[in-house]
Amino acid sequence: MYPLSSYHSLGQTLCPTELCTISRRYHQCQPTLAFLDIKSAYDTVGRSFIWRKLQPYLSPALLGSLRNLFDNVQIEVLINNTVSSRFLPVTDVLQGSILSPFLHSIYINDLPNLLRPQLLVLGDLQNATDVAPLYADDMATVVIVASAMDEHVYTLSDASLPHEDSFSYLGISIKPGGSIDVSALVHENTTKARKSMNQIAIIGVNAKGFNHLLFIRFHVQMIRSQLEYGLAISTLSIGHLKKLEACQTECNSRIFGDSHRSSPKVMMHLVQQPSMTDRARILQTKFLIRSLQLPDDTLLQRLLSHIKTSASRSTWYKLTANPLWKECFPVWDVLDRPTFNKLKLQFFEDSYEALCAGPNLTQVFLRWRLGWLPGGIPRPCVYHPLEKLTRKHGIECLDMHSRLQMPLSVEDHLSYVLNHLPVRKS
């Protein structure tokens, strides 16, 4: 048992899932997760207990500064323009302070010792039957049971604990057995993004409001961050990525005022916005790099020796299938931000060139050059049933001269554009 945080919330969320994976591997049984979320946790913290804990480790000046910051606080209540007299709170730490999660962790740091008097050593993780990872004001206790069909009734202070199909731990849904519910995560992220898009549309973030560049900045800071949460530790399928791409396309279409049938590639290229697939690869690669660079006393770092191999079947190992990570892995120990950005740019440039040189796109270009349209023979146009969908009619029907901003003197606008593309890498 290590009463330690795992550097950030995503790493802390991954730890219980990997502990369950280790339990299934070494014990061949289905673990049970019991989550304890303390309500109004910050309001019940005894600060005097924290100061006594910190006194042996901090200088008197630093400890005095912390006490002045949290103890010398006065509260007043305003109701119907009537202000109460000020009073000093005896307990709680400040809401919104970056120090509060750390101070609360000190307050509950002795809780695992009550569960297990003796700390686990590194080699005992595979034999552990209960581990309590802590983060801020949340605690998760992992209990190993003998059977996969768990019918045991768990109690806390003689009160039965309810059974749930899933639990949102630090904003990420955990399924029975200790695995991340990726489908639920994607659904929650897309739902939050659409709701936030509706809210900011009220203040003018729409096609008739502010300029498009400002819209995109709103989107990146407020909307896309909600779509991306949790993707760094999730093994995403093609279906999950399609849902994320569809949500991002919907948001971009609302910003630019385009139809939902419009291609999002032009809009994303104009604002230099990557696809959600690319963003997921970037976030997963960054997470893997940071997990390898964590301090030795963090829980995730101590789990790496058990989850870095293919035999572990861990989520961490599945994330290493990321092609961008494979480019960064040979130099991860000396990887800095400029080097990572250079490798990232080179990787996506190579991916784009491979896509353009693929057989499907080449066949489309050849068929257009030869005048072969889908179906093999000319068929009626969906917009003009009396006309055949030939190349000439396609140019007129799709209004290519206006879309490509070319004069009418150019007969085949698309071929004209293709002829000006580079034929070799510069």
Side-chain angles (χ1 to χ4, degrees):
M1 177 182 352
Y2 299 97
L4 302 167
S5 173
S6 293
Y7 185 70
H8 47 64
S9 60
L10 293 183
Q12 179 66 18
T13 305
L14 185 64
C15 285
T17 63
E18 299 295 21
L19 287 170
C20 292
T21 302
I22 295 174
S23 300
R24 284 190 292 268
R25 179 185 176 188
Y26 290 103
H27 296 273
Q28 291 78 42
C29 64
Q30 192 76 357
T32 297
L33 288 173
F35 294 93
L36 173 62
D37 188 4
I38 306 173
K39 294 183 178 180
S40 303
Y42 286 177
D43 297 337
T44 59
V45 174
R47 294 191 300 272
S48 58
F49 176 81
I50 298 177
W51 308 144
R52 290 196 302 269
K53 281 286 186 179
L54 291 176
Q55 187 174 6
Y57 306 100
L58 299 183
S59 63
L62 180 56
L63 182 59
S65 299
L66 288 175
R67 298 188 63 173
N68 289 333
L69 178 62
F70 285 88
D71 289 346
N72 295 337
V73 176
Q74 295 184 345
I75 299 177
E76 61 182 18
V77 181
L78 174 63
I79 301 178
N80 295 330
N81 294 329
T82 302
V83 181
S84 67
S85 58
R86 296 183 179 183
F87 59 93
L88 296 174
V90 179
T91 59
D92 79 24
V93 291
L94 298 177
Q95 296 284 348
S97 173
I98 60 175
L99 295 174
S100 296
F102 174 73
L103 296 177
H104 190 274
S105 297
I106 296 175
Y107 182 71
I108 63 176
N109 199 45
D110 292 336
L111 182 58
N113 295 331
L114 300 177
L115 300 175
R116 177 184 293 276
Q118 184 178 2
L119 294 180
L120 292 177
V121 296
L122 185 58
D124 289 339
L125 275 174
Q126 65 188 48
N127 300 320
T129 57
D130 61 284
V131 183
L134 307 177
Y135 181 81
D137 59 336
D138 297 322
M139 184 200 72
T141 303
V142 185
V143 181
I144 308 303
V145 295
S147 174
M149 302 298 294
D150 184 14
E151 298 180 354
H152 181 74
V153 178
Y154 297 95
T155 60
L156 181 64
S157 300
D158 297 331
S160 299
L161 298 178
H163 286 239
E164 301 291 343
D165 295 333
S166 63
F167 185 85
S168 181
Y169 180 55
L170 300 177
I172 298 178
S173 296
I174 307 296
K175 296 188 294 185
S179 59
I180 298 176
D181 193 345
V182 183
S183 298
L185 175 66
V186 172
H187 176 72
E188 292 174 2
N189 289 359
T190 52
T191 302
K192 290 180 181 178
R194 290 188 174 97
K195 289 182 179 180
S196 299
M197 195 68 191
N198 293 334
Q199 293 175 352
I200 65 175
I202 300 176
I203 63 174
V205 184
N206 51 60
K208 298 181 181 179
F210 304 123
N211 64 76
H212 293 162
L213 180 59
L214 184 58
F215 292 168
I216 292 298
R217 290 176 178 173
F218 271 110
H219 177 268
V220 171
Q221 296 294 330
M222 302 176 61
I223 309 301
R224 198 179 70 183
S225 59
Q226 295 179 333
L227 284 175
E228 295 174 351
Y229 183 72
L231 301 186
I233 59 173
S234 302
T235 52
L236 301 168
S237 64
I238 297 178
H240 297 144
L241 292 172
K242 286 183 177 180
K243 291 181 180 179
L244 294 170
E245 297 286 6
C247 183
Q248 179 172 250
T249 301
E250 178 184 338
C251 295
N252 287 336
S253 298
R254 294 184 61 178
I255 292 175
F256 287 91
D258 294 334
S259 170
H260 66 280
R261 295 182 178 180
S262 302
S263 174
K265 295 182 179 179
V266 176
M267 295 182 289
M268 296 174 64
H269 176 72
L270 290 175
V271 297
Q272 298 182 350
Q273 187 175 1
S275 64
M276 292 304 300
T277 301
D278 293 342
R279 283 296 300 168
R281 290 175 176 175
I282 294 173
L283 294 172
Q284 290 173 359
T285 302
K286 288 183 176 180
F287 176 81
L288 292 172
I289 294 173
R290 290 170 181 169
S291 65
L292 294 175
Q293 298 174 347
L294 288 174
D296 294 336
D297 59 349
T298 55
L299 178 57
L300 184 57
Q301 179 63 241
R302 297 190 178 228
L303 291 176
L304 285 180
S305 60
H306 301 276
I307 63 178
K308 287 174 62 175
T309 61
S310 58
S312 65
R313 301 180 181 178
S314 63
T315 301
W316 192 96
Y317 182 80
K318 293 176 182 178
L319 296 177
T320 59
N322 186 335
L324 179 57
W325 162 252
K326 294 181 180 179
E327 296 290 332
C328 299
F329 177 71
V331 294
W332 74 266
D333 52 341
V334 293
L335 192 64
D336 54 8
R337 180 171 295 182
T339 306
F340 175 76
N341 291 335
K342 183 178 180 181
L343 291 174
K344 178 180 64 176
L345 181 62
Q346 183 63 39
F347 170 78
F348 289 121
E349 287 180 352
D350 295 342
S351 300
Y352 179 75
E353 291 177 1
L355 176 63
C356 293
N360 295 332
L361 197 57
T362 303
Q363 291 178 7
V364 172
F365 289 159
L366 289 175
R367 293 178 70 87
W368 175 262
R369 295 282 196 181
L370 297 174
W372 298 347
L373 298 181
I377 58 176
R379 297 187 178 186
C381 176
V382 295
Y383 299 106
H384 307 89
L386 300 180
E387 297 286 343
K388 296 293 184 180
L389 184 57
T390 62
R391 184 169 65 175
K392 181 179 180 180
H393 178 74
I395 294 173
E396 297 175 355
C397 181
L398 297 177
D399 197 17
M400 289 189 182
H401 70 281
S402 297
R403 295 192 177 191
L404 299 177
Q405 298 182 359
M406 292 185 180
L408 294 174
S409 58
V410 179
E411 295 182 359
D412 190 345
H413 307 81
L414 189 56
S415 296
Y416 179 83
V417 173
L418 294 176
N419 289 337
H420 285 75
L421 292 177
V423 294
R424 62 180 59 89
K425 186 176 180 179
S426 58

